[in-house]
Amino acid sequence: MSIVPRLFAFFVAISAGLFVTGPAQAQVSVLTSIKPLQLIAAAVEDGVDTPEVLLPPGASPHNYALRPSDVRKVQSVELLYWIGPDMESFLPRVLKGRSLPTVAVQDLPGMKLRRFAEDSHSHAEDTDEHDHDHRPGSLDAHLWLSTVNARVIAARMADDLAKADPANAERYRHNAEAFSGRLDALDARLKARLAGVANKPYFVFHEAFDYFEAAYGLKHAGVFSVAAEVQPGAQHVAAMRARLQEVGKTCVFSEPPLRPRLAETLVSGLPVKLAELDALGGYTPAAAHGYEQVLEKLGNDLAGCLESL
């Protein structure tokens, strides 16, 4: 066989290999405001593409300052998902100039939403200290901590992506169904893991976990709401310490990356442990199982501290 026919055969084989591939790669750019939504999108896009996230690890979704590059990204991305104005208060002004599809997931049909209760306070009654970010009666926007809501969000993302990228429509829908099935297993694991600590009191610095608590039979005993930039007065600290003394052995949970400055003073000399609960999972890789990893770690961290008392 001469060199010319051999070269022709080689190029035919290479060309055939280029066409005998899996589904076409998506040309749909997806941006989410916060990491938990990125993780849900990553489960839906598994094997096709990886969604982007707007907020970097450690940034607060309540008061993030957008950079010019962030604004350009928000304006140009094809599909954008955010919680809604009750969470990302910095976004509505920028979104007014956006013409491409934008989904505030708090408005999706089928979402099971909670509101902050009228008695949602720090139990330091003499100080009248409330979680001012979460006014009684306002929407609790930490809705991603409910697997029921995560399923609704994933289903919407799968529908949107299927319309925008028909070549991969079946993959998106299959991924959303697989995600839902994994959440069934996750629910069972978390219920078993947390059953033994359901009646143990604990405290939080930020009322972010009500969806998670409601799903798994938990309830914090109080919220020590402290503005990051303000050192509370002696009366307030004394009232919080009195509450901890009343309860006895317990855990007080803050959220990374920052622990309130008074935390060590608050628990000094008391049978109280300081620990962290990460509701955002900021450093979790954007992969198919990332969302489950965030919730599983949340459950393990909470149970681990309470079991160690």
Side-chain angles (χ1 to χ4, degrees), residues 109-123:
M111 296 290 284
K112 303 299 182 183
L113 302 178
R114 300 176 60 87
R115 295 189 175 272
F116 291 108
E118 294 297 328
D119 63 348
S120 174
H121 53 67
S122 67
H123 293 277

Side-chain angles (χ1 to χ4, degrees), residues 43-45 48 154-155 157-166 168-180:
V44 175
E45 289 196 272
V48 180
M157 289 176 170
D159 285 345
D160 291 345
L161 284 161
K163 292 174 185 175
D165 177 26
N168 286 299
E170 286 305 311
R171 185 186 289 267
Y172 297 131
R173 294 192 175 107
H174 171 78
N175 285 346
E177 291 172 4
F179 178 64
S180 180

Side-chain angles (χ1 to χ4, degrees), residues 85-113:
D86 292 274
M87 175 61 70
E88 306 96 327
S89 57
F90 62 89
L91 264 181
R93 180 178 60 84
V94 180
L95 292 175
K96 286 181 180 178
R98 178 177 161 80
S99 59
L100 294 164
T102 302
V103 178
V105 299
Q106 70 180 44
D107 297 329
L108 293 179
M111 296 290 284
K112 303 299 182 183
L113 302 178

